[in-house]
């Protein structure tokens, strides 16, 4: 159907649609139908199905079927009168948490005891496993297996002494020392999915074998096209609405659409080939609002920080004067106003502004840090000359061609740097090669990327602590590392916040990155998508529980000619 015909039909039925829309909040949930989504990572297919691979995107693709001990509590969402938007990818304060596979947990000194839910079942998966109950041994097995992986992030579980199944429904973690991230690393983080032994024995990396306790089952996967999930008939969880418990999930089928081209996603949204588009560049919003006026919207500050890492283990970036000059050569305020049309924050990484107590705004940072966000090509040239590069230098800048934003930013940076005599030779890469280059430490001297904020302590640790996998600048500072260790050992959150604010100011000043603005992003969905307000994650890039709670108003969809 053309947009013109669709618009005419929409106007003709405006009165009835208004009635349906206004009644939507009180509407009884509906079961059935298919929910199709272009997620915030719509350009990327699944990178792995196996937590043994320690891949950052695993939760995004497996959260419909793999569960964890703890999840975000959507009853605390803004939609339900709470204070949490559930946008930030890996930030769950204690009062935003709920037990998922754990019914409850208790921290006592250096031990944490989880009491598991009874009666949670793994569904029958022919050729892989028979339907059976989830038990404590599954938790212990999953932890030990992930820890034994050769891709294990060094020191990640060093604070753990042992993990024991005390009985069928009790798991006890004993720590060597306190770690402020224990809940994130063990219960709701990127690498804490519960994968049963039967799946591992069948081959956990093969999508046809995966099977978990979650609301859906993966029933089809086409690389570069789609992930298809079907309702788990024995799923345990419920959604309480107006005092009534409803069995989850509501939809029969969930489909992630992989779409390589940005414009194609907009066409898919306008023509209702997808129900939700989670990530839209702000510059395209006015036209979409005009061409599809009934879409619902949510605006959010990106959970991905943008920067160009400069390898400190290679010349010329081993000299802080060069790194500071690179920052001063970039007109960041112009990028905010011209490239992003004002829809960006000049400074919002490595700390996210919504992390109350951890984030200091730019005007609270030391003068040496603030200076890096001011356009000053004259001083940039002076610093380069002092460092021994009066005529500049040439370096290679790698970036991922899969990211529309990075593909646009790269030539802008080239143009700015040329003004101070620095030549950046661009090298676009496909995502798998781009990621592998960094994780194997074979990436170029310049590495333009986006990286998630995760949470306050992880954002500092993963990016800047010596030897970490996600430290593309190869930053190394023993004193900094020791202070980070102190933050992890600090139980008092107020004191921990003070340490993190100090470390942030210190690392911004050290300029291991060209710090770039953080854009605002929009999500859009059709009004027949119910029980949804743009939430993105209830853990570490875990949208599955959100999608399980969405239902489709089939009557509205039909009346709107879809």
């Amino acid at each position: 159907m053309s947009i013109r015909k669709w618009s005419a039909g929409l106007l003709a039925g405006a009165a009835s649609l208004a009635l349906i829309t206004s009644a939507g909040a009180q509407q009884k949930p509906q079961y059935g139908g298919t929910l199709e989504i272009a997620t915030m990572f719509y350009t990327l297919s699944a990178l792995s199905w196996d937590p043994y691979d320690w891949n950052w995107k695993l939760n995004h693709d497996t959260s419909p079927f793999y569960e964890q001990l703890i999840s975000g509590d959507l009853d605390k969402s803004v939609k339900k009168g709470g204070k949490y938007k559930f946008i930030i990818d890996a930030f769950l304060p204690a009062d935003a948490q709920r037990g998922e596979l754990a019914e409850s947990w208790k921290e006592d000194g250096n031990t944490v005891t989880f009491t598991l839910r009874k009666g949670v079942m793994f569904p029958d998966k022919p050729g892989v496993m028979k339907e059976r109950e989830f038990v404590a041994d599954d938790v212990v097995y999953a932890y030990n297996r992930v820890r034994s992986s050769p891709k294990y992030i060094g020191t990640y579980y060093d604070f753990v002494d042992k993990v024991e199944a005390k009985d069928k429904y009790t798991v006890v973690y004993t720590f060597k020392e306190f770690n402020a991230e224990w809940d994130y690393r063990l219960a709701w983080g990127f690498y804490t999915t519960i994968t049963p032994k039967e799946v591992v024995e069948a081959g956990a990396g093969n999508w046809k074998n995966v099977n978990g306790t979650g609301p859906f089952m993966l029933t089809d996967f086409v690389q570069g096209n789609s992930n298809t999930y079907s309702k788990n008939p024995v799923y345990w969880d419920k959604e309480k609405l107006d005092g009534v418990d409803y069995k989850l999930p509501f939809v029969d089928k969930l489909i992630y659409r992989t779409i390589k081209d940005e414009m194609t996603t907009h066409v898919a949204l306008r023509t209702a080939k997808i129900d939700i588009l989670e990530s839209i560049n702000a510059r395209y919003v006015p036209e979409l609002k005009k061409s599809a006026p009934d879409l619902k919207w949510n605006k959010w500050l990106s959970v991905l920080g943008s920067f160009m890492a400069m390898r400190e283990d290679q010349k010329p970036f081993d000299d802080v004067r060069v790194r500071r000059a690179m920052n001063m050569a970039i007109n960041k305020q112009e990028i905010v106003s011209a490239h992003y049309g004002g829809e960006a924050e000049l400074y919002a990484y490595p700390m996210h502004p919504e992390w109350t107590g951890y984030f200091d705004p730019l005007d609270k940072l030391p003068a040496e840090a603030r200076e890096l966000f001011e356009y000053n090509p004259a001083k940039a040239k002076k610093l380069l000359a002092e460092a021994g590069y009066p005529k500049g230098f040439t370096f290679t800048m790698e970036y991922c061609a899969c990211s529309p934003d990075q593909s646009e930013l790269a030539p802008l940076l080239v143009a700015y740097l040329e003004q101070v005599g620095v030549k950046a030779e661009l090298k676009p890469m496909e995502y798998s090669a781009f990621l592998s280059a960094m994780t194997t430490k074979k990436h170029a001297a310049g590495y333009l990327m986006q990286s998630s904020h995760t949470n306050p302590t992880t954002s500092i640790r993963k990016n800047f602590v010596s030897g970490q996998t996600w430290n593309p600048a190869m930053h190394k500072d023993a004193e900094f590392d020791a202070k980070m260790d102190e933050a992890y050992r600090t139980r008092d959150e107020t004191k921990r916040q003070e340490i993190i604010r100090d470390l942030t100011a210190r690392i911004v000043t050290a300029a291991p990155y060209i710090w770039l603005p953080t854009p605002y992003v929009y999500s859009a969905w059709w009004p027949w998508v119910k029980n949804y307000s743009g939430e993105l994650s209830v853990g570490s890039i875990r949208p599955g529980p959100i999608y399980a709670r969405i239902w489709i108003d089939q009557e509205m969809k039909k009346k709107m000619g879809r």
Side-chain angles (χ1 to χ4, degrees):
M1 179 183 291
S2 69
I3 291 176
R4 182 174 296 176
K5 289 182 178 179
W6 172 78
S7 298
L10 182 62
L11 289 171
S16 61
L17 289 178
L19 179 62
I20 293 171
T21 302
S22 65
Q26 290 77 39
Q27 189 181 39
K28 183 178 178 181
Q30 298 179 26
Y31 286 92
T34 298
L35 176 65
E36 299 203 39
I37 305 174
T39 73
M40 64 184 296
F41 300 112
Y42 62 77
T43 64
L44 294 177
S45 267
L47 302 175
S48 172
W49 300 106
D50 188 353
Y52 195 71
D53 291 333
W54 283 74
N55 184 275
W56 69 269
K57 194 172 177 281
L58 181 91
N59 281 351
H60 175 265
D61 296 290
T62 65
S63 62
F65 56 86
Y66 282 149
E67 293 190 297
Q68 304 183 345
L69 293 172
I70 294 175
S71 181
D73 186 353
L74 286 166
D75 286 339
K76 305 289 182 62
S77 65
V78 172
K79 173 185 65 185
K80 289 195 172 185
K83 63 180 181 179
Y84 293 108
K85 300 175 184 178
F86 291 102
I87 295 291
I88 302 178
D89 57 323
F91 182 56
L92 279 185
D95 63 343
Q97 298 175 8
R98 72 182 283 256
E100 191 165 74
L101 291 175
E103 190 170 59
S104 62
W105 60 95
K106 181 180 180 182
E107 187 180 359
D108 183 11
N110 279 346
T111 64
V112 177
T113 302
F114 287 93
T115 301
L116 306 182
R117 293 185 186 277
K118 298 178 181 178
V120 174
M121 307 299 291
F122 289 100
D124 183 69
K125 180 85 169 181
V128 176
M129 64 187 299
K130 297 291 187 182
E131 180 180 325
R132 71 163 176 85
E133 189 176 18
F134 157 74
V135 294
D137 284 340
D138 293 312
V139 179
V140 176
Y141 174 80
Y143 167 82
N144 287 332
R145 178 173 182 265
V146 169
R147 183 165 186 167
S148 70
S149 170
K151 297 182 180 180
Y152 166 71
I153 294 176
T155 74
Y156 200 79
Y157 291 133
D158 284 4
F159 71 98
V160 179
D161 181 27
K162 57 184 177 180
V163 183
E164 301 171 284
K166 290 296 186 181
D167 58 43
K168 192 175 181 180
Y169 303 110
T170 307
V171 177
V172 178
Y173 289 82
T174 303
F175 304 154
K176 298 173 185 176
E177 60 181 359
F178 174 77
N179 187 294
E181 278 188 2
W182 70 262
D183 55 338
Y184 164 70
R185 297 194 189 190
L186 300 175
W188 58 267
F190 281 93
Y191 316 110
T192 58
T193 59
I194 307 301
T195 307
K197 186 176 182 180
E198 294 94 327
V199 168
V200 173
E201 291 174 342
N206 185 335
W207 71 266
K208 295 180 180 180
N209 297 327
V210 298
N211 196 45
T213 57
F216 297 95
M217 302 175 71
L218 183 64
T219 48
D220 193 29
F221 170 62
V222 180
Q223 182 77 30
N225 182 278
S226 60
N227 306 0
T228 301
Y229 310 87
S230 299
K231 176 183 290 191
N232 175 359
V234 297
Y235 187 54
W236 61 273
D237 203 6
K238 297 178 180 179
E239 171 79 334
K240 185 180 288 293
L241 296 166
D242 296 327
V244 179
D245 286 330
Y246 294 91
K247 182 176 173 60
L248 295 174
F250 290 117
V251 296
D252 290 335
K253 189 175 292 186
L254 166 68
I255 300 176
Y256 289 9
R257 288 294 179 193
T258 303
I259 306 173
K260 297 293 185 180
D261 179 68
E262 191 173 19
M263 294 300 101
T264 302
T265 64
H266 301 168
V267 173
L269 179 65
R270 286 199 306 267
T271 57
K273 301 298 183 185
I274 54 176
D275 302 294
I276 301 172
L277 176 52
E278 289 186 341
S279 180
I280 304 172
N281 187 308
R283 75 166 68 107
Y284 302 117
V285 171
E287 176 56 33
L288 281 168
K289 285 185 174 181
K290 181 179 179 181
S291 60
D294 280 281
L295 288 172
K296 293 183 173 294
W297 293 88
N298 187 44
K299 176 182 176 180
W300 45 281
L301 184 62
S302 179
V303 298
L304 300 174
S306 292
F307 52 84
M308 193 202 79
M310 295 171 279
R311 289 191 66 148
E312 297 179 31
D313 62 340
Q314 296 181 9
K315 291 185 178 299
F317 297 136
D318 58 336
D319 192 319
V320 68
R321 292 171 297 184
V322 172
R323 301 196 304 272
R324 291 180 63 81
M326 297 285 282
N327 273 277
M328 294 177 193
I330 307 300
N331 192 335
K332 300 171 185 180
Q333 188 58 62
E334 186 173 67
I335 291 176
V336 170
S337 59
H339 179 64
Y340 291 120
E343 295 265 23
E345 294 293 336
L346 183 64
Y347 169 68
Y349 192 82
M351 288 295 109
H352 196 286
E354 292 184 18
W355 291 340
T356 303
Y358 292 95
F359 176 80
D360 273 337
L362 186 58
D363 61 4
K364 298 296 183 182
L365 294 183
E368 296 87 347
R370 297 197 303 271
E371 186 179 34
L372 301 180
F373 296 84
E374 299 168 0
Y375 182 50
N376 193 340
K379 186 165 184 179
K381 290 180 180 179
K382 182 175 182 291
L383 286 172
L384 289 172
E386 290 176 0
Y389 301 96
K391 296 183 180 180
F393 57 87
T394 300
F395 75 102
T396 299
M397 184 197 305
E398 294 174 339
Y399 70 94
C400 184
C402 67
S403 168
D405 188 55
Q406 300 289 282
S407 296
E408 292 177 348
L409 277 174
L412 289 179
L413 299 185
V414 170
Y416 284 126
L417 292 172
E418 282 181 348
Q419 301 306 306
V420 297
V422 175
K423 182 180 180 181
E425 297 179 339
L426 295 182
K427 182 181 178 181
M429 304 172 73
E430 289 303 313
Y431 186 75
S432 57
F434 179 74
L435 180 62
S436 177
M438 183 194 68
T439 57
T440 58
K441 309 306 180 190
K442 296 177 182 177
H443 57 294
Y447 192 76
L448 177 64
M449 71 176 294
Q450 294 175 315
S451 185
S452 68
H453 286 77
T454 51
N455 56 65
T457 44
T458 297
S459 188
I460 297 298
R461 186 262 306 163
K462 72 167 183 170
N463 283 291
F464 311 113
V465 167
S466 305
Q468 290 293 303
T469 302
W470 290 78
N471 180 354
M474 307 297 284
H475 186 73
K476 192 172 183 179
D477 181 337
E479 185 180 337
F480 186 93
D481 295 352
K483 199 69 176 177
M484 189 69 241
D485 286 341
E486 180 186 341
Y488 280 128
R489 293 193 302 269
T490 301
R491 290 179 181 268
D492 186 299
E493 186 176 19
T494 300
K495 293 180 180 178
R496 191 163 65 248
Q497 289 171 343
E498 183 179 346
I499 295 171
I500 295 299
R501 290 197 304 271
D502 177 69
L503 287 172
T504 301
R506 179 171 174 169
I507 201 64
V508 170
T509 303
Y513 297 165
I514 294 179
W515 306 106
L516 295 171
T518 300
Y520 283 95
V521 185
Y522 287 76
S523 299
W525 61 96
W526 286 98
W528 55 72
V529 175
K530 300 298 183 181
N531 204 31
Y532 176 72
S533 294
E535 298 85 6
L536 295 175
S537 178
V538 287
S540 300
I541 313 182
R542 287 195 73 231
I546 296 168
Y547 303 151
R549 287 162 171 77
I550 292 174
W551 72 84
I552 302 296
D553 185 330
Q554 303 287 359
E555 182 182 358
M556 177 185 288
K557 190 172 183 179
K558 183 177 180 181
K559 283 179 181 281
M560 293 182 74
R562 303 295 176 180

